[in-house]
Amino acid sequence: EVGVLGVRPYGKTKLDAWFGQLLTAIADQTAAILQHIGLERSMEETRLREEREKLRAMLLSSVSHDFKTPLAGIVGALSVYRSLGKKLSQQKRDELIETAIDEAQRLDNFITNILDMTRLESGNIRFRKEWHDAESMFENVIRRMQPRCKQHHLAVYPCPPGIEVCLDMLMTEHVIQNIIDNGCKYTQPGTRIEIRSQVDPA
């Protein structure tokens, strides 16, 4: 039961058989409409559930691939260093260590992104919007992403000095890092990657 159909006669309204048939027809039509709405909601919930399952499967497949790539790089670099470390030049040893560190940073970024996505979907994340210097924010991102972009030409054009923006510093830096990381991931080595920002006059 979802409701009650009540009737209060007005004036000299006759409560005869015809009036009873009219009320029955109204009740039947109302019930049919409610049933139709319920079916539509059920179908929509089923569709959303199927889409979530497809998205989860795609995400797991993508995450598995993204995890395996840096892990393979870390294991490979450290294995070579352990087995041939004394026979390698100092430059080669430094390159192997640098490779392991770079891949570890990539893996850390993947894990951080997944945790942030989980927190966003669950609604357990709260943005801390504060005023920050835009130039220093870009400097922090560039410093962390330089090893990742060593095979690309990274050019960042931040806002003029002295510009402050109200935002969540940590989450905004994550967004910029992901953009740069995608640029490195999906372009050929040697590609120029530009990040530009501008002041939109009010």
Side-chain angles (χ1 to χ4, degrees):
E1 296 179 358
V2 294
V4 177
L5 178 62
V7 178
R8 184 173 66 179
Y10 177 77
K12 297 181 180 180
T13 303
K14 295 182 179 180
L15 302 180
D16 53 12
W18 179 86
F19 190 78
Q21 292 175 359
L22 177 62
L23 292 180
T24 301
I26 293 174
D28 290 342
Q29 290 294 325
T30 303
I33 293 173
L34 292 175
Q35 185 180 19
H36 183 69
I37 293 174
L39 289 174
E40 285 187 345
R41 289 179 177 175
S42 178
M43 292 174 62
E44 181 67 14
E45 291 175 356
T46 301
R47 185 185 66 81
L48 292 176
R49 185 164 55 250
E50 291 176 351
E51 289 184 355
R52 283 196 296 267
E53 290 299 325
K54 291 180 181 179
L55 181 60
R56 184 178 292 108
M58 292 173 59
L59 179 61
L60 289 175
S61 177
S62 176
V63 166
S64 299
H65 174 74
D66 289 338
F67 275 9
K68 287 181 180 179
T69 302
L71 281 174
I74 295 171
V75 173
L78 295 181
S79 297
V80 172
Y81 187 90
R82 183 179 62 178
S83 59
L84 301 175
K86 296 181 180 180
K87 300 179 182 179
L88 300 174
S89 64
Q90 184 62 42
Q91 180 181 357
K92 188 62 178 179
R93 289 198 295 267
D94 292 342
E95 290 178 357
L96 291 172
I97 294 298
E98 184 178 356
T99 298
I101 293 175
D102 292 345
E103 295 300 326
Q105 290 176 342
R106 286 183 60 194
L107 187 59
D108 180 68
N109 289 335
F110 291 147
I111 295 174
T112 300
N113 291 337
I114 292 174
L115 292 176
D116 289 340
M117 288 174 58
T118 303
R119 292 166 61 194
L120 284 170
E121 290 182 353
S122 63
N124 292 329
I125 188 171
R126 294 185 178 181
F127 296 101
R128 298 181 56 184
K129 297 180 66 176
E130 299 175 346
W131 288 98
H132 297 278
D133 179 64
E135 187 178 16
S136 63
M137 177 182 67
F138 281 101
E139 290 176 353
N140 295 336
V141 174
I142 295 171
R143 184 174 59 255
R144 287 196 293 266
M145 295 302 294
Q146 281 294 347
R148 178 74 175 96
C149 302
K150 60 184 179 182
Q151 295 184 351
H152 294 75
H153 302 292
L154 178 61
V156 180
Y157 301 92
C159 296
I163 298 296
E164 291 190 346
V165 287
C166 186
L167 45 75
D168 186 304
M169 175 71 86
L170 181 62
M171 298 303 296
T172 306
E173 288 184 358
H174 280 331
V175 171
I176 300 174
Q177 288 178 199
N178 287 338
I179 293 173
I180 297 175
D181 185 71
N182 286 336
C184 296
K185 185 177 180 180
Y186 297 108
T187 60
Q188 297 293 329
T191 302
R192 180 180 177 84
I193 300 174
E194 297 185 357
I195 301 294
R196 295 179 178 271
S197 60
Q198 64 182 28
V199 179
D200 187 12

